[in-house]
Amino acid sequence: MKSDVYIYAETAFHHQGELDYMLKLIDMADESHVNGIKFQVLLDFDYLISKKHSAYKQLKEYTFNEKDWKQILEYALTKKLDIILMPLDPESCGFLSSYDIRYAEIHSVCFYDKEILDLLKKSNTDIIIGVGGRNLSEIDNIKQFFGEQLKVLMTGFQSFPSVIKDVKLSRISHYVGKYPDLIIGYGDHSGYNDENALISNDYALLLGARMFEKHITINEGDKRVDFESAIGGDKLEDLVARLKRLKEDILDFDNDCLFDIVEPELTYRNRQKVAVASVEIKEGTVLNESHFIFRMAQKIDGITSSEFLIGKKVLRKLDAYEPFEKSYLSE
């Protein structure tokens, strides 16, 4: 997978507790040809948020129960979408063992939550870590904690909408060099109507990112949770196509064939000047510099060096301006 492009849709709390809306997001992800879909799963609401939090009551209304989550996960699996599960409380970690979960991702707010980290480690599920807002020592420490279980470092951070300069995309190439055993990903949070919502992913791919996360919505601009960076189905499908096309057309070359010359390139090359007879040359003539000049002649595999001609005997008559061929000359 490390050399492939992997793209998943992020639902976050954009569903706002509406089951039908969540199922429509899954349909949209499926129709957009992404590899997977990510769910932020919360069952024990009070584990995550203080009752003194200003948004406590509203956010609690957005929380699905266990029955709803089972329906959501099973529906995603019927669409053959990989599930990226982001458990926000210990109880939701139970889904890691009861369902086929491709990756478990650690939410930034749980970066130091030992109970959840221990449960994720115990699950042996492949791990994604978001590294936006994290320094290198924090990354190294959590990498040491999970060992080979850690598969992906996800760059980008959730500032809605994020400013491309603040994201510092060049960190991607640094991570690629520092952590060659890991997949480096990019989660873009540019505004949905910002050109960087698509283009920044191109840049990330060229810098070495191979996994991509994008927030999705049914209708762009509808004021729901995390709507600022959520894109619609058509744009998501375009993102999938352009990243795969960019990878195939620009980056997908094995070292063994990297310098093979393709036919159009060969045609362009063969416009170069080649040796042609400067005068009519009789059979048996021993060539010197007065017998040839270099001109464009539309000759494939023409002779481009005088060193190959001087002192050679001509084996057949050549007309003036006729290109030389190796078969016309003595050894």
Side-chain angles (χ1 to χ4, degrees), residues 251-266:
L251 301 178
D252 252 355
F253 294 101
D254 295 331
N255 287 335
D256 291 343
C257 65
L258 187 59
F259 292 99
D260 289 353
I261 299 177
V262 297
E263 192 62 35
E265 192 177 14
L266 186 61

Side-chain angles (χ1 to χ4, degrees), residues 154-221:
M154 208 72 185
T155 62
F157 60 91
Q158 293 184 340
S159 170
F160 292 100
S162 55
V163 178
I164 193 66
K165 184 178 180 181
D166 294 341
V167 175
K168 297 181 181 177
L169 281 171
S170 59
R171 288 174 176 171
I172 292 172
S173 57
H174 177 81
Y175 292 141
V176 169
K178 181 174 174 60
Y179 305 107
D181 55 326
L182 299 179
I183 299 165
I184 307 303
Y186 173 57
D188 172 66
H189 296 93
S190 303
Y192 66 87
N193 55 355
D194 185 338
E195 66 175 5
N196 286 311
L198 295 181
I199 293 176
S200 68
N201 294 277
D202 296 352
Y203 301 154
L205 178 70
L206 294 173
L207 287 166
R210 291 296 178 268
M211 182 177 285
F212 299 84
E213 171 192 296
K214 194 66 187 174
H215 281 254
I216 58 172
T217 184
I218 303 301
N219 296 302
E220 284 190 2

